[in-house]
Amino acid sequence: MQLERRGHRFCRYADDLQVYVRSRRAGERVMTSLSDFLESSLRLTVNRDKSAVDRPWNRGYLGYTLTRHRLPKLTLAKASLQRLMGRVREILKRGRGGDIRRVTRELAPVLRGWASYFRLVDVKRPLEALDQWVRRRLRDLIWRQWKCPKTRRRKLLALGLNGYRAWKSAGNGRGPWWNAAALHLRHALPNRWFAQRGLVSVLDTVRGLSRSS
């Protein structure tokens, strides 16, 4: 291959390609020579809008990117995370007024499939943050479903909060998103409550796949 003959370090999948060099000047030189070669010799079209000379951690590749560490680690590209969050929002929007188990069943294949694709990541903190965000979105949904303070107080009591705390929390006047992160709702709807109703943990799924591979 032409890149191997030139001694470049690179990664390639289908028509996606990244070449790694030591400096911006080298990057600009390689970019120019490769673009000329692809277009003049191979008669291929280089997408100038998507091509760039940049730091590796500023560029995504197949949904992944690299960290700034001296020994780089594989992590998620921001765009990949944003696409999944958009998909989760769509599912939760359809789930308003519905049973929470039905919502978690619809989320399960999306989260499990996404975790399977990104099982190679070295940095797990974004996965933990994603799990926390999904649970907060679900608590937000449930708080909205309870609607009035009387219903919220009754539900909080049934989930184990004492009378005074349930009464105070139910009538705090704050919005659903604030309540979704508040201690009273995290205590009433802990992580295990969602796990028992079929919510898939992206972090646990990736860890399980890593151990089995």
Side-chain angles (χ1 to χ4, degrees), residues 93-105:
K93 187 176 181 180
R94 293 199 298 270
R96 290 178 183 173
D99 180 69
I100 198 67
R101 290 183 186 271
R102 183 179 64 78
V103 177
T104 56
R105 281 198 302 270

Side-chain angles (χ1 to χ4, degrees), residues 109-180:
V110 175
L111 297 176
R112 194 176 289 115
W114 192 87
S116 179
Y117 180 83
F118 288 103
R119 66 187 181 277
L120 299 177
V121 294
D122 299 313
V123 183
K124 302 297 192 293
R125 180 67 186 96
L127 305 181
E128 182 181 6
L130 176 63
D131 280 341
Q132 293 170 352
W133 178 82
V134 172
R135 287 191 295 266
R136 186 176 180 182
R137 296 290 305 192
L138 286 168
R139 291 187 184 104
D140 174 280
L141 175 64
I142 292 167
W143 192 255
R144 290 175 187 274
Q145 289 178 344
W146 291 349
K147 294 183 180 178
C148 65
K150 183 178 179 180
T151 301
R152 289 169 178 168
R153 178 177 177 275
R154 176 169 54 83
K155 293 288 187 178
L156 291 172
L157 285 169
L159 288 165
L161 267 63
N162 64 50
Y164 174 74
R165 193 179 183 195
W167 168 77
K168 187 176 180 181
S169 301
N172 62 37
R174 301 273 189 163
W177 187 242
W178 183 91
N179 277 279

Side-chain angles (χ1 to χ4, degrees), residues 58-101:
N58 292 331
R59 306 293 296 180
Y61 185 72
L62 302 178
Y64 290 90
T65 191
L66 297 172
T67 66
R68 294 180 179 225
H69 296 92
R70 185 175 180 84
L71 294 176
K73 296 182 179 181
L74 204 59
T75 188
L76 298 170
K78 289 182 180 179
S80 303
L81 199 56
Q82 290 169 353
R83 280 194 294 270
L84 176 65
M85 292 170 73
R87 183 81 179 93
V88 170
R89 287 190 186 97
E90 290 175 5
I91 293 172
L92 295 184
K93 187 176 181 180
R94 293 199 298 270
R96 290 178 183 173
D99 180 69
I100 198 67
R101 290 183 186 271

